Amino acid sequence: MLQEIKVSELEKFNPFTKIEKEWALVTAGTLDKCNTMTANWITLGYLWRKNVAFVYVRPQRYTFEFTEKNDYITLSFFGEEYRKVLTYCGTKSGRNEDKIKKSNLTPVQLGGGIGFEEAKLVLVGRKIYTDWIKEDNFIDKQVIPACYPQHDFHKFYIIDIEKVFIQH
């Protein structure tokens, strides 16, 4: 069961391990209609006197429609036993199938966002800023062919982390 805690109560949380190695599900929408995608392009920090996350979504992803239309985005982190589920959610599109249902995940309303009951940790954030990654702004131009060979640059959202839930 997920229980709300304060951001300051997060213990033994290494964002580099959580994001790079364990990944997360980025989710937006409502209980009636939401979508999720696996992501490890996430940044956590402190900006504008707020605990924030930067969440990056390519425009061709189905989740993009949901991040655009909704005020809240969640980041759900899971244990290693969910690696196959996260791999599946990162390779299948919610446009073509109900991947949440097929993954046997349980969406739950958490604050203004949608997380998953099975998650170990869920960060719920309200969008406060958005922009596109711009080709002209790259100082290291080698990133473009390596990460954007089709020039499909991400849109990023800065979200104010309003609530944190952990598994108890």
Side-chain angles (χ1 to χ4, degrees), residues 24-82:
L25 288 179
V26 173
T27 309
T30 64
L31 273 178
D32 294 334
K33 187 168 175 114
C34 66
N35 198 61
T36 193
M37 66 177 226
T38 303
N40 69 349
W41 285 28
I42 300 165
T43 307
L44 298 174
Y46 188 76
L47 180 69
W48 303 323
R49 300 181 182 155
K50 300 174 184 297
N51 296 304
V52 299
F54 288 62
V55 180
Y56 304 83
V57 181
R58 289 186 198 262
Q60 66 266 38
R61 298 297 301 257
Y62 184 50
T63 303
F64 182 79
E65 297 175 27
F66 293 86
T67 57
E68 283 291 288
K69 292 177 185 172
N70 292 275
D71 292 334
Y72 283 84
I73 297 172
T74 64
L75 304 173
S76 298
F77 296 89
F78 296 80
E80 185 60 36
E81 66 273 21
Y82 283 89

Side-chain angles (χ1 to χ4, degrees), residues 75-144:
L75 304 173
S76 298
F77 296 89
F78 296 80
E80 185 60 36
E81 66 273 21
Y82 283 89
R83 174 65 65 180
K84 286 183 181 178
V85 170
L86 271 69
T87 299
Y88 172 77
C89 287
T91 58
K92 301 297 179 189
S93 175
R95 276 190 193 98
N96 305 324
E97 59 190 80
D98 188 344
K99 64 182 178 180
I100 294 172
K101 186 175 184 177
K102 284 188 173 185
S103 297
N104 293 318
L105 293 173
T106 310
V108 290
Q109 185 77 46
L110 299 171
I114 304 300
F116 296 99
E117 186 64 42
E118 297 81 5
K120 283 187 169 184
L121 169 69
V122 180
L123 306 177
V124 179
R126 181 181 48 82
K127 295 187 306 189
I128 57 175
Y129 185 87
T130 187
D131 200 358
W132 290 92
I133 295 198
K134 298 174 181 100
E135 185 171 3
D136 291 345
N137 291 349
F138 279 94
I139 295 165
D140 181 351
K141 302 294 185 190
Q142 294 177 35
V143 173
I144 298 167

